[in-house]
Amino acid sequence: MKAIEVTGRIDSQGNLVLDEPIQGNTYPHQLRVIVLVPEQAETEEVDPDDTPVEEIKASLRRALQQVKAGQTRPISELWDRVDAE
């Protein structure tokens, strides 16, 4: 057997919905599907280094607006603030 790893979810009707279509060959034969569902503890674990994408996008938008408005600082000043922390 060949294994293909994909992610997805189960909808309210109990259907498996893949996040991305499986590319490549067609598979005319019946398939075996193993569904791995994260345990409650796994979904609650939050990596402190994982900043949510929306928060990153908002920060980048603010930074771009500041640059366009000329609100910049010398790099040496920024390094001084980093060293202080």
Side-chain angles (χ1 to χ4, degrees):
M1 285 213 146
K2 178 180 178 179
I4 300 172
E5 183 175 343
V6 295
T7 57
R9 64 189 179 290
I10 298 175
D11 66 15
S12 59
Q13 288 80 37
N15 297 310
L16 178 61
V17 180
L18 302 179
D19 292 334
E20 300 282 332
I22 296 174
Q23 302 294 326
N25 301 329
T26 58
Y27 301 97
H29 304 289
Q30 188 173 26
L31 305 172
R32 286 178 41 197
V33 178
I34 299 172
V35 178
L36 302 174
V37 180
E39 299 282 342
Q40 183 69 20
E42 292 176 35
T43 59
E44 290 176 358
E45 290 179 20
V46 176
D47 186 344
D49 294 330
D50 286 345
T51 305
V53 173
E54 289 306 316
E55 186 177 329
I56 293 170
K57 287 181 181 179
S59 176
L60 290 172
R61 281 189 215 101
R62 283 191 307 273
L64 182 59
Q65 288 174 347
Q66 289 172 340
V67 168
K68 287 181 178 180
Q71 299 170 337
T72 59
R73 296 186 178 141
I75 290 181
S76 60
E77 183 181 324
L78 296 174
W79 279 119
D80 290 341
R81 289 178 51 199
V82 169
D83 291 338
E85 294 175 7

